Amino acid sequence: MYSVAAKDGLTIGALYPGAVMGPLTDTKMAEIFDPTKFAYVGSADSGSRLCATWQDSKVKKFEDTLTTKTVVGASQDGGSTKDFPVVMNSLLGTKFEIVAGYKGSNEILLAVERKEVEGLCGYDWSSLQASKPQWVPEKKVNLLVQFGPEPDPELTKMGVPEIYKFLKSEDDKKIFQLLVSQQLFGRPYILAPGTNPEAVKILRTAFDATVKDPEYIEEGKKSRLSLNAASGEKVQDLVSNLYKTPKALVDRFQKVTEAK
């Protein structure tokens, strides 16, 4: 998409958020492509993430994680289920014990049910609703804290606090903002750098119309999919601002996420 795709708007790429964030801290990736050069059509999802523990865990609320060891399942370095508890341990002194190596979130959820681990962190709220729709209404899990560019109205209504309530310094808040900002482009669609501006405009207009279409919304609800779309303009601005982050803050962010 960066160096080969035609610039006529007829080739559209779909990325993982990590591909957009990667060059910010990985110099090898930064040598290959610059995410700010892509034209963003929009993101199909921009939802919140959360920490949750199984119903019989001693950890019932986020404050408990500050004093009680909490065993959470995780995938691998760079995955949200690993990065979120690592960053919280570093910035807040939480006592998450991370069991990494699970192939994916489905395996972690199964491990929670089997009581191999107590819970997980950095997991999409929409994914929990889709994968385990009975867990919340049947009170099988404790929802500890939410992470997102903006508070999720449903989680807030249920009394799930935002992580920013617990962060002490402005620098710590900025570190976490870097971590959660990629949630705004949870499922981004991109065009090649230098794509004809008229083609970009047409596709963004079509994307915005699609995510507001009643049939699209109905199909999404049937499939229990998150429908928190973000416009191409909003994603473009966010990515641009991310890459204007002062180097000292990026270096600290990298150090924190790589902590053990």
Side-chain angles (χ1 to χ4, degrees):
M1 289 301 302
Y2 192 76
S3 58
V4 178
K7 306 180 188 304
D8 53 11
L10 298 179
T11 303
I12 301 175
L15 302 179
Y16 287 111
V20 181
M21 284 288 290
L24 186 65
T25 57
D26 188 328
T27 54
K28 290 183 179 179
M29 287 183 72
E31 291 172 0
I32 299 170
F33 69 100
D34 177 355
T36 66
K37 303 296 185 184
F38 289 124
Y40 293 85
V41 177
S43 176
D45 187 24
S46 58
S48 294
R49 288 177 177 158
L50 47 75
C51 280
T53 55
W54 195 240
Q55 56 189 348
D56 57 3
S57 170
K58 292 180 180 179
V59 176
K60 306 290 186 185
K61 55 186 180 179
F62 185 74
E63 289 87 344
D64 295 336
T65 67
L66 300 171
T67 57
T68 305
K69 184 181 78 171
T70 312
V71 181
V72 293
S75 53
Q76 70 288 327
D77 291 344
S80 62
T81 52
K82 177 76 178 292
D83 286 351
F84 276 73
V86 164
V87 171
M88 286 186 288
N89 283 350
S90 180
L91 296 183
L92 287 166
T94 50
K95 299 186 181 303
F96 289 112
E97 182 176 307
I98 304 163
V99 179
Y102 289 98
K103 292 181 180 179
S105 56
N106 287 336
E107 287 77 13
I108 300 173
L109 294 176
L110 184 59
V112 172
E113 283 187 301
R114 290 175 172 173
K115 300 184 182 180
E116 294 174 13
V117 295
E118 291 178 69
L120 74 170
C121 278
Y123 188 55
D124 287 326
W125 167 228
S126 60
S127 296
L128 180 64
Q129 291 173 298
S131 301
K132 301 291 181 181
Q134 76 281 8
W135 276 17
V136 173
E138 294 180 5
K139 297 183 179 180
K140 291 188 174 182
V141 286
N142 309 299
L143 305 182
L144 307 181
V145 68
Q146 60 170 304
F147 319 95
E150 298 173 356
D152 182 277
E154 190 175 7
L155 289 173
T156 300
K157 189 176 180 180
M158 289 190 287
V160 183
E162 288 185 88
I163 189 62
Y164 299 109
K165 172 184 175 182
F166 304 98
L167 294 166
K168 299 175 180 65
S169 73
E170 285 303 312
D171 272 358
D172 287 353
K173 289 179 181 178
K174 289 176 182 177
I175 292 293
F176 235 99
Q177 284 168 353
L178 280 175
L179 185 64
V180 305
S181 60
Q182 60 186 295
Q183 293 165 219
L184 186 65
F185 43 85
R187 291 185 175 89
Y189 294 96
I190 62 168
L191 302 170
T195 294
N196 184 298
E198 187 60 28
V200 175
K201 182 179 178 181
I202 289 170
L203 288 168
R204 283 179 173 175
T205 300
F207 177 86
D208 292 344
T210 297
V211 298
K212 294 174 183 176
D213 181 78
E215 289 186 26
Y216 171 87
I217 293 171
E218 185 61 29
E219 285 297 316
K221 288 179 178 178
K222 286 179 182 178
S223 303
R224 296 195 183 97
L225 295 175
S226 175
L227 300 175
N228 299 309
S231 70
E233 291 88 347
K234 191 171 184 178
V235 176
Q236 195 86 50
D237 288 344
L238 174 63
V239 175
S240 177
N241 288 330
L242 274 177
Y243 279 81
K244 292 176 183 175
T245 303
K247 186 178 184 303
L249 191 60
V250 172
D251 289 344
R252 183 168 179 241
F253 171 74
Q254 187 173 15
K255 183 177 181 180
V256 166
T257 54
E258 291 176 352
K260 301 300 181 183

